Amino acid sequence: MTDPGPWQSTPADTPSHPPYPRTPPSGAPHFAAAHTVDPAGPHPPGSALSPSPEYWSHPAPAPHNKRPKGTGLKVTNIILLCVLALVTVGTLAVFALSIGASVFLICGALALIPLAICVLTLVWVDRWEPEPTTALLFGFCWGAGMAVVTTLVVGSWVQPLLMAGNAQADPDVVGAVIQAPLVEEVCKGAGVLLLFFLRRRTFDGPVDGLVYAGIIAAGFAFTENILYFGQALRDSDDAAGGLLAIFVVRGLMSPFAHVMFTGALGVCVGYAARYGGTPLVLGAWVLGLVPAMLLHGLWNAVTFVGDSFVLMYLVLQVPIFALFITGILLLRRSEARLTRRRLSDYVPPGWFSQQEVPMLASGAGRRRALHWARTFGAGSTMKEFIRVATRLAFTRNRLLVDAKGAPGSAAAARFARARVQELALLNAATAARSDLLGRHSAAVYQARTFQAPTIQAPTIQAPGP
């Protein structure tokens, strides 16, 4: 365990002095001093160094109300989540009755494999700024339940309309290449749009859009796989060969198919959520349906090529998947760069030190910080510090986007809400840092008090005569 150094803040009358008289030992994170000055006051910490001191003059916090603002939205989220969970359970129960309980259990167990692959991958993608678990559950239930039900209902209306225009077309081809991409992507995409309105504060970037859309798509694919596996088992007269073939194609060769389709829409919505308001998001949602439907239709068309399926899979689907992975890596790097830029804005006012920024805005820095904190049992506190700092960076970005909004506009309203949220996050970051320092000081004291070895001088006896 290493000593991270002194934590005294820089005197207010000597802003040019460095906040740390010495560099902490190697391996220890370097924290800024824990400020106790309320930024609502006339002299926020470090304001003499701020390029725009008026920005740091936050309005006074609103008086406490018995019913906090946003309670109604939280209740709405809980109610909708319960409703979607019931719809999902009911949908799976109907399918179990239609294909038989034993077949449902077998197919459900197989469908869990691609689901686990997708969920674990999305959790890895979402590591930089994890989304709320309840929001992810909401997305999964929408995909596994509501999206499936609406697809079956709406699809039964759309299929006859498509066939009416071309009676000579193969119904299977029309259903797979046109009707399924059109209906399924709209139904899944509706869940992405709903999550944007319900989780506006945490839906603020393309990675968020990808994760929310991906979890919806994973839920949809889970229920759909059960139906496909059950149909394959029934068509093969309960022989394992047909079930194994469809499991390899859908469960192992293309577990991310639906995630890629709907993920393209989610990325478009996420970009719009970061740089604009509701009108831009609605436009991006419509625009994002185009690549989602095209990718979906292309994948379904490949299944009709017969003997050339493997070749088409290697030529088309594998490169698309490689581009998808490359895009995810680029988005993650973009999130890290944005976090670093926005947290650097808080260095001149003194809320963070220059050394803290790379610790909080890089994967390597976070790993070292967590390792250091775990040496004295403060790993959870460090995780909270990282989480709050990341949320603060994205809130700061939203402030910069909405700062030019005209008075009375939606952007101005978002700017006002974001400033209140920023103040709460700054105080939360200060509290987390103080908790870390207190835990470290206590650990150092205990180590020096109870673990220092006691050295006793040996007793020397004079030799006898």
Side-chain angles (χ1 to χ4, degrees):
M1 183 164 55
T2 56
D3 182 3
W7 315 111
Q8 288 77 13
S9 59
T10 306
D13 57 344
T14 56
S16 61
H17 291 178
Y20 305 106
R22 62 183 178 89
T23 302
S26 176
H30 204 166
F31 293 96
H35 298 295
T36 58
V37 181
D38 188 347
H43 300 291
S47 58
L49 301 179
S50 175
S52 54
E54 66 279 1
Y55 172 81
W56 302 100
S57 181
H58 291 265
H64 176 70
N65 298 320
K66 292 184 179 180
R67 184 179 180 183
K69 186 176 180 180
T71 301
L73 186 59
K74 292 179 181 179
V75 172
T76 302
N77 275 276
I78 294 173
I79 293 174
L80 288 177
L81 178 57
C82 294
V83 171
L84 289 179
L86 290 175
V87 171
T88 302
V89 172
T91 302
L92 295 177
V94 171
F95 292 160
L97 293 175
S98 64
I99 65 178
S102 59
V103 174
F104 176 82
L105 291 176
I106 294 172
C107 297
L110 291 176
L112 285 174
I113 296 176
L115 175 65
I117 294 173
C118 292
V119 170
L120 291 175
T121 302
L122 290 171
V123 169
W124 173 79
V125 172
D126 198 34
R127 285 180 60 188
W128 189 260
E129 187 211 5
E131 306 307 317
T133 303
T134 52
L136 298 179
L137 288 174
F138 184 100
F140 174 81
C141 291
W142 178 275
M146 186 62 72
V148 172
V149 172
T150 53
T151 294
L152 294 175
V153 173
V154 177
S156 63
W157 300 339
V158 174
Q159 179 81 355
L161 295 177
L162 295 175
M163 292 302 300
N166 191 357
Q168 304 299 323
D170 186 345
D172 293 335
V173 175
V174 172
V177 180
I178 300 178
Q179 180 251 323
L182 177 65
V183 176
E184 292 179 10
E185 294 309 321
V186 169
C187 293
K188 289 184 292 181
V192 178
L193 198 60
L194 182 60
L195 274 170
F196 166 76
F197 289 113
L198 294 176
R199 299 283 180 168
R200 184 66 184 88
R201 291 179 62 180
T202 59
F203 199 132
D204 51 14
V207 173
D208 294 346
L210 173 63
V211 171
Y212 284 138
I215 201 69
I216 290 173
F220 185 91
F222 170 72
T223 304
E224 189 182 52
N225 281 337
I226 294 176
L227 293 178
Y228 273 98
F229 296 163
Q231 182 180 359
L233 193 60
R234 184 174 60 251
D235 294 343
S236 61
D237 296 328
D238 295 335
L243 176 59
L244 179 61
I246 193 68
F247 171 74
V248 170
V249 172
R250 293 185 62 88
L252 300 182
M253 294 179 66
S254 58
F256 297 104
H258 276 285
V259 173
M260 289 191 297
F261 308 153
T262 315
L265 182 149
V267 169
C268 293
V269 173
Y271 269 115
R274 172 170 291 176
Y275 297 108
T278 300
L280 185 62
V281 168
L282 292 176
W285 184 81
V286 175
L287 181 64
L289 286 173
V290 176
M293 293 178 181
L294 289 177
L295 289 173
H296 197 157
L298 178 63
W299 167 252
N300 286 356
V302 170
T303 61
F304 288 95
V305 298
D307 295 338
S308 302
F309 169 76
V310 175
L311 177 62
M312 296 296 292
Y313 175 82
L314 295 175
V315 172
L316 291 177
Q317 301 304 326
V318 172
I320 291 175
F321 179 71
L323 289 175
F324 180 72
I325 296 299
T326 302
I328 288 176
L329 296 177
L330 293 177
L331 287 176
R332 281 171 56 91
R333 291 184 179 181
S334 175
E335 298 262 287
R337 289 196 298 268
L338 185 144
T339 304
R340 186 161 190 155
R341 287 198 303 270
R342 298 288 73 90
L343 287 184
S344 296
D345 295 343
Y346 295 100
V347 172
W351 286 104
F352 291 91
S353 72
Q354 189 66 51
Q355 292 81 7
E356 277 181 314
V357 173
M359 180 193 80
L360 297 167
S362 67
R366 289 182 172 188
R367 287 190 294 271
R368 287 195 297 268
L370 285 170
H371 175 73
W372 172 78
R374 291 189 181 110
T375 59
F376 54 95
S380 60
T381 306
M382 178 61 78
K383 286 183 179 180
E384 177 65 9
F385 187 40
I386 293 172
R387 186 195 69 80
V388 170
T390 308
R391 171 54 47 194
L392 178 62
F394 285 93
T395 301
R396 166 72 174 166
N397 189 75
R398 167 53 58 186
L399 282 166
L400 295 178
V401 171
D402 293 331
K404 298 180 180 180
S409 64
R414 291 195 303 270
F415 181 81
R417 291 193 299 268
R419 292 194 74 176
V420 175
Q421 183 182 6
E422 180 195 35
L423 174 59
L425 291 170
L426 284 169
N427 290 333
T430 300
R433 183 193 293 113
S434 299
D435 190 13
L436 277 170
L437 302 184
R439 288 172 177 265
H440 179 263
S441 298
V444 169
Y445 174 79
Q446 292 177 1
R448 292 175 177 174
T449 303
F450 301 108
Q451 297 178 8
T454 303
I455 303 177
Q456 297 180 351
T459 302
I460 303 176
Q461 296 180 351

